[in-house]
Amino acid sequence: MKTVFEYPAELGRLSALPRVRLFAGPTPLEAMPNLARCCGGGPLLVKRDDCMGLAFGGNKVRQLEFYIGEADAQNADTVLITGAVQSNFVRLAAAAARKAGMECHIQLEERVAKSDATYRNSGNVLLDRLLGATLHSYAHGEDEAGADKRLGEIAEDLRQSGRRPYIIPLAPGHTPLGALGYVVAADELIRQIAEAGLEVEEIVVASGSGNTHAGLLFGLRALGSDIVVTGICVRRDASAQHPRIAARCREIADLLEIESKVEDADIRVNDFFLPPGYGTAGEETLRAILLAARTEALMLDTTYTGKAMAGFIDRARKAGGGTRIFVHTGGTPAIFAYEKELTEAAGR
Ligand SMILES: *Cc1c(COP(=O)(O)O)cnc(C)c1O
């Protein structure tokens, strides 16, 4: 039986786009009083998108509701996706594919200069293997176009052998189906904020491909909310990320056939916690991971949520007050792939 989704009229033709339900929402919105006491700011809250039933959850579950929806509508039988070795997206794509009764081919890109056995085999890679995904390797991590081309070739081979492949495209210029998951999340969050009677000043979220950041920002503005959204850069610096978010917002507007209410000045990106680079945590990030664990028992990773938390703590400290929400985007299994760094940090 197909689920019927109802959306606010302000979200245009969202209801015309196929979607499958992959988790039972809404995810919790929790207070973080212990962290707020440490930061001298607050109230601080966390949107627990790490708490979803599908294979350890995370923001990609929301994004996949629309990708798997389209794959299903196209009668696909195999999902293809490319990502970093410890990608949460590919792990969740494999999990969602299984739930939908499909096969999954994963291309792992060498994006991070790490080659220890734990990084290559534990965490998300272990789960990819348990899910029975077919793994392929791609040697050039920063060659987005090349990775996509190679994935296209794998899809072509599958087609030749009678399969019906569906590619989840991650590079810019594709239909931003993933961002729609966070347009929906904006609606969910606005309702939770209203129910709790909160006046929220700012939401802080990791900004990687930008689907989460752009979807959330676009959704909030479309639904009449002016809460500041700050994206913490985890892959590219602010000068590269800003136009990416702007482009994503325009693409979402085109897809939904509505006017974008996102102004250029409304796109806030902070790359202060990006160094030393994608997939590598600086001192500040490691400190934030430990503080969140030791105050609120939140489990954060070194690539995404640790950096976003470092940014969140910085914002809360400097502002000295005001209600702020941290979006926990998941990434829990990746913690185990970075066992060495985290063990060292915890022991200091
Ligand atoms: C992918 C990912 C992000 C970044 O989300 P984008 O939509 O790509 O910007 C943040 N946190 C976690 C845990 C992720 O896996």
Side-chain angles (χ1 to χ4, degrees):
M1 206 185 69
K2 291 273 174 209
T3 317
V4 177
F5 297 100
E6 292 196 20
Y7 305 107
E10 293 91 327
L11 298 181
R13 62 183 290 274
L14 189 57
S15 57
L17 297 160
R19 175 182 169 201
V20 297
R21 203 72 231 255
L22 291 173
F23 71 104
T27 58
L29 179 64
E30 294 175 355
M32 297 193 287
N34 303 330
L35 182 64
R37 227 169 284 126
C38 281
C39 295
L44 305 181
L45 296 102
V46 53
K47 175 69 170 159
R48 299 291 305 268
D49 275 8
D50 58 322
C51 296
M52 295 173 179
L54 185 73
F56 298 97
N59 62 341
K60 305 311 183 319
V61 177
R62 290 188 191 272
Q63 302 188 14
L64 282 159
E65 289 196 335
F66 287 90
Y67 288 115
I68 299 295
E70 187 175 78
D72 195 44
Q74 291 177 5
N75 196 28
D77 63 7
T78 310
V79 169
L80 285 85
I81 188 166
T82 185
V85 171
Q86 282 294 336
S87 165
N88 300 302
F89 206 170
V90 303
R91 175 245 313 170
L92 286 164
R98 285 308 187 202
K99 277 290 206 186
M102 300 178 195
E103 295 289 321
C104 187
H105 281 248
I106 288 172
Q107 175 173 265
L108 297 179
E109 306 162 16
E110 299 298 333
R111 243 188 243 171
V112 180
K114 260 175 86 68
S115 56
D116 60 279
T118 308
Y119 179 79
R120 310 207 66 87
N121 294 308
S122 185
N124 283 305
V125 180
L126 172 61
L127 302 182
D128 297 341
R129 292 198 172 117
L130 290 179
L131 290 160
T134 305
L135 303 184
H136 306 260
S137 176
Y138 190 75
H140 314 285
E142 285 310 324
D143 174 14
E144 254 183 334
D148 279 358
K149 182 163 174 286
R150 178 80 195 96
L151 199 64
E153 289 162 8
I154 298 169
E156 192 44 45
D157 287 347
L158 286 166
R159 220 172 274 118
Q160 296 289 331
S161 60
R163 312 283 313 184
R164 299 184 301 278
Y166 175 84
I167 294 179
I168 298 178
L170 302 183
H174 294 282
T175 314
L177 288 182
L180 298 183
Y182 273 85
V183 173
V184 173
D187 182 35
E188 180 181 311
L189 195 49
I190 285 173
R191 285 167 205 269
Q192 284 178 310
I193 288 169
E195 267 164 36
L198 300 168
E199 274 299 328
V200 177
E201 229 165 79
E202 182 179 21
I203 297 172
V204 175
V205 65
S207 196
S209 74
N211 279 315
T212 305
H213 180 183
L216 198 56
L217 177 62
F218 185 96
L220 288 169
R221 295 299 176 270
L223 294 167
S225 163
D226 60 2
I227 300 172
V228 171
V229 177
T230 302
I232 307 297
C233 297
V234 296
R235 179 129 188 232
R236 297 169 193 84
D237 66 17
S239 65
Q241 194 65 2
H242 191 284
R244 227 175 143 103
I245 301 299
R248 273 284 124 121
C249 288
R250 285 192 299 272
E251 289 163 8
I252 300 168
D254 288 348
L255 184 59
L256 297 181
E257 295 175 8
I258 53 179
E259 291 280 318
S260 173
K261 297 212 178 106
V262 177
E263 312 270 334
D264 233 32
D266 212 13
I267 298 171
R268 309 204 184 192
V269 284
N270 170 346
D271 60 9
F272 198 69
F273 301 97
L274 177 60
Y278 178 78
T280 325
E283 266 315 302
E284 215 58 49
T285 298
L286 292 170
R287 262 203 295 277
I289 290 171
L290 295 178
L291 186 62
R294 291 165 189 193
T295 53
E296 299 294 343
L298 281 186
M299 295 300 142
L300 306 178
D301 73 285
T302 48
T303 304
Y304 299 106
T305 54
K307 286 181 181 176
M309 180 54 87
F312 181 72
I313 289 170
D314 185 57
R315 299 284 303 162
R317 279 211 172 111
K318 285 183 180 147
T323 304
R324 289 189 157 66
I325 297 176
F326 173 76
V327 183
H328 191 325
T329 45
T332 313
I335 292 172
F336 301 99
Y338 287 81
E339 181 189 314
K340 191 164 156 285
E341 290 86 334
L342 291 171
T343 303
E344 263 171 37
R348 261 181 245 152

